[in-house]
Amino acid sequence: LKNQNLAHLYQYLTGLYLKHAANHNDVKQARQMLCQAIRIYPKTLLGNRTQILVFKLLLVKCFSYKLANYLLISISEKRSTKVSFNY
């Protein structure tokens, strides 16, 4: 239970880093937090929240932050779900 709670904390911190990312160092820190969460409690990777965070990290890594946010909003509108950088 302790590892699970710590993994959820790291997920939360990952979301905050992505939400307020101003540069690549913030994105790198978010990636490290998410990796730490997965290392601590690997079952975390099966959850929707973690998969969405991984997808966001991939988008930000491949594209600029503004373009990644636009793509994510467009995808979520087509899927009729609300997924954005606001964790």
Side-chain angles (χ1 to χ4, degrees):
L1 187 60
K2 179 181 173 185
N3 288 344
Q4 187 177 5
N5 288 336
L6 194 56
H8 288 298
L9 176 66
Y10 280 127
Q11 278 184 337
Y12 176 72
L13 293 174
T14 299
L16 287 179
Y17 272 109
L18 284 176
K19 183 178 179 181
H20 300 292
N23 54 35
H24 290 293
N25 288 334
D26 292 340
V27 175
K28 182 179 176 182
Q29 188 71 23
R31 189 187 80 229
Q32 289 173 347
M33 290 284 176
L34 188 59
C35 288
Q36 188 69 17
I38 294 168
R39 266 188 231 115
I40 290 171
Y41 191 68
K43 287 185 178 181
T44 305
L45 194 54
L46 298 174
N48 286 341
R49 210 159 82 187
T50 305
Q51 292 173 3
I52 289 170
L53 289 172
V54 168
F55 186 67
K56 288 179 187 181
L57 282 169
L58 288 173
L59 282 178
V60 172
K61 184 80 172 166
C62 295
F63 305 108
S64 69
Y65 185 78
K66 287 183 180 180
L67 181 59
N69 194 21
Y70 173 76
L71 289 172
L72 195 61
I73 289 171
S74 298
I75 290 168
S76 66
E77 286 175 355
K78 291 187 189 302
R79 290 183 61 222
S80 298
T81 60
K82 294 196 175 198
V83 179
S84 69
F85 279 105
N86 299 331
Y87 186 68

